[in-house]
């Protein structure tokens, strides 16, 4: 079969599977987040941490829960790595260096999973299982919890309550993430993915030499790595490693897992606010950007410029032969449009314009469909901006879902939108001013600049994928990228929860003849324009110095 046709059929099968999952999973999440019934195991957890599960919180109390939970998780994971050499299943590895432990702790707690280390030669099995994998579950649950609080802000009136953070996190973890992970872990093992507690085994190669073949609990971590849009690989090669991603079937399943929750959450939104058409409009914008990104990336990588590319039939450098162009580009577009960060090919080896698409995907704020929870609340903030712009154009006070959008609400939305670009651009500019930090670039010129820009874009947007080519293992890089991840995760959550509290406190405004319908194609087009103009063009000068300059030069 023609490779391009095979890739198209794979993409269509993925779309069909996601479409079939959208309604049942979205409705299940809505039920999970609104049910008053607590499971017995959940009640035990609430008693253990001293939480009244039936008492809801103000947005400030909800925020304190997010920050306290993140702080404790960060400190625990940092300490866990620092005493690794004294733990069971350490595999003889020493304690993780302080700067690397800090960067890794921040990375996994913020759902970024940026890795400045090689997993198979740095982390023991216990740290992988009880440290990194646990945070894969919890960081994903936190993102969904914050999205749920914002949805309640739209759906409620004349109240200062937006839910209970501890209840939301517990339910999402126990009722959604854990059950799905157990099922797909069994599927992955059946497909040939590694799952054991072995250390590296020495084997004799066909050439007569020796090679260390690492083992570990790979399948169980791989599932939540994708389902929770985390992306941290058990091995340094991530999903390009045959133990993490053996064949095209597991590659397709990983794609499905990393997209399914994020594409289902708009249905949850529509159900919880009492108008499912609103969810349809949001998911339509997500699908539009995801389709465009995947198509453009495939187009740029199928181009045959140069003798080597003509001989290979496409830009195959840095891509696994067992996946080819189509599966690699679909994976690349999906991971950079979500906050997953998993890679099955080397992004540094993509064509200049292909690498530019990957960068631009993250710069949009990872909202198509985005990370678990973070994609939805990012898109809803942009919807608020789109409605405000529309109100200005016709001279009316903007309204969205029966809530007036005044100066207070727009300040929170504006701060949300400006935070991440500020972190990315300031971080990149600072790194480029220091000689030692510029020396970490493998390449010079526009491509080297793209490596630095990609690193800060990935960190601040909590993506975690690496362009490669940048040696970001020094204390400065570990510290700077750690701060970018931390601020890029927590500051936007502050503004989202503040917006949720402000909306929940309002009285409902009845729709009139002048109210902008936010479920029709006109609004879908307007929201898409706001995403491109308000968010995307913020980075245009930086893109012009990196991938665009390199692409035009070639």
């Amino acid at each position: 079969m023609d490779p391009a046709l095979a890739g198209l059929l794979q993409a269509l099968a993925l779309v069909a599977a996601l479409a079939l999952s959208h309604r049942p999973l979205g409705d299940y999440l809505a039920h999970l987040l609104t049910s008053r019934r607590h499971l017995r195991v959940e009640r035990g957890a609430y008693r253990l941490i001293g939480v009244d599960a039936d008492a809801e919180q103000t947005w400030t109390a909800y925020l304190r829960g997010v920050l306290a939970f993140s702080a404790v998780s960060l400190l625990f994971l940092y300490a866990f790595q620092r005493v690794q050499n004294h733990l069971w299943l350490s595999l003889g590895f020493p304690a993780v260096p302080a700067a690397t432990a800090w960067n890794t702790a921040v990375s996994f707690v913020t759902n970024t999973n940026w890795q400045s280390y090689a997993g198979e030669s740095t982390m023991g099995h216990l740290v992988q299982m009880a440290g990194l994998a646990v945070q894969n579950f919890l960081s994903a649950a936190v993102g969904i919890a914050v999205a749920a609080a914002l949805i309640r802000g739209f759906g409620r009136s004349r109240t200062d309550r937006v839910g209970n953070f501890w209840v939301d996190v517990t339910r999402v973890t126990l009722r959604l993430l854990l059950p799905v992970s157990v099922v797909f872990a069994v599927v992955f093992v059946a497909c040939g993915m590694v799952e054991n507690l072995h250390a590296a085994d020495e084997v004799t190669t066909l050439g007569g030499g020796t090679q260390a073949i690492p083992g570990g609990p790979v399948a169980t971590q791989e599932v939540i790595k994708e389902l929770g849009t985390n992306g941290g690989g058990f091995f340094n090669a991530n999903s390009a490693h045959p133990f993490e991603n053996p064949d095209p079937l597991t590659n397709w399943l990983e794609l499905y897992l990393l997209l399914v929750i994020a594409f289902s959450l708009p249905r949850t939104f529509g159900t919880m606010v009492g108008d499912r058409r609103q969810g349809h409009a949001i998911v339509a914008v997500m699908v539009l950007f995801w389709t465009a990104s995947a198509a453009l990336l495939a187009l740029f990588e199928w181009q045959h410029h140069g003798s080597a590319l003509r001989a290979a039939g496409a830009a195959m450098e840095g891509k696994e032969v067992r996946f080819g162009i189509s599966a690699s580009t679909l994976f690349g577009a999906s991971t950079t449009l979500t906050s997953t960060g998993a890679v099955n090919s080397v992004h540094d080896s993509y064509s200049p314009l292909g690498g530019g698409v990957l960068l631009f995907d993250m710069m949009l704020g990872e909202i198509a469909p985005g990370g678990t929870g973070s994609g939805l609340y990012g898109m809803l903030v942009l919807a608020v901006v789109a409605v405000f712009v529309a109100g200005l154009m016709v001279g009316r006070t903007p309204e969205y879902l029966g809530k007036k959008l005044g100066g207070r609400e727009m300040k929170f939305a504006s701060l949300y939108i400006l935070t991440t670009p500020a972190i990315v651009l300031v971080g990149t500019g600072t790194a480029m001013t220091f000689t030692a930090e510029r020396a970490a670039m493998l390449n010079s010129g526009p491509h080297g600049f793209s490596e630095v820009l990609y690193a800060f874009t990935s960190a601040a947007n909590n993506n975690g994928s690496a362009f490669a080519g940048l040696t970001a293992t020094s204390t400065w890089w570990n510290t700077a990228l750690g701060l970018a991840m931390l601020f890029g995760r927590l500051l936007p959550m502050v503004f989202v929860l503040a917006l949720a509290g402000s909306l929940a406190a309002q009285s409902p405004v009845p729709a009139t003849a002048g109210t902008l319908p936010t479920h029709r194609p006109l609004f879908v087009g307007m929201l898409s324009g706001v995403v491109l103009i308000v968010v995307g063009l913020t980075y245009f000068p930086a893109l012009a110095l990196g991938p665009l300059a390199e692409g035009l030069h070639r």
Side-chain angles (χ1 to χ4, degrees), residues 455-549:
F456 277 99
T457 303
S458 179
N461 285 280
N462 302 128
N463 181 274
S465 66
F467 207 51
L470 181 71
T471 307
T473 56
S474 68
T475 299
W476 189 92
W477 278 105
N478 276 322
T479 304
L481 293 175
L483 291 172
M485 290 184 278
L486 195 63
F487 292 137
R489 171 75 164 182
L490 297 180
L491 285 179
M493 285 185 171
V494 172
F495 304 131
V496 167
L497 291 173
L499 178 61
S502 180
L503 293 170
Q506 290 189 27
S507 298
V509 178
T512 65
T515 301
L516 172 69
T518 54
H519 59 275
R520 295 178 181 172
L522 175 63
F523 182 71
V524 170
M526 188 160 193
L527 178 54
S528 300
V530 166
V531 172
L532 285 174
I533 297 170
V534 175
V535 182
L537 291 185
T538 304
Y539 295 97
F540 184 79
L543 288 169
L545 294 173
L548 293 179

Side-chain angles (χ1 to χ4, degrees), residues 435-452:
T435 303
E437 278 55 63
R438 288 201 307 272
M441 301 185 308
L442 178 65
N443 298 278
S444 59
H447 196 83
F449 178 78
S450 295
E451 293 171 355
V452 176

Side-chain angles (χ1 to χ4, degrees), residues 28 69 84 117 128 151 153 219-220 230 297 373 543:
Y28 174 71
F69 187 68
Q84 171 181 252
Y117 61 90
Q128 293 268 24
I151 295 173
T220 47
N230 295 283
L297 193 57
L543 288 169

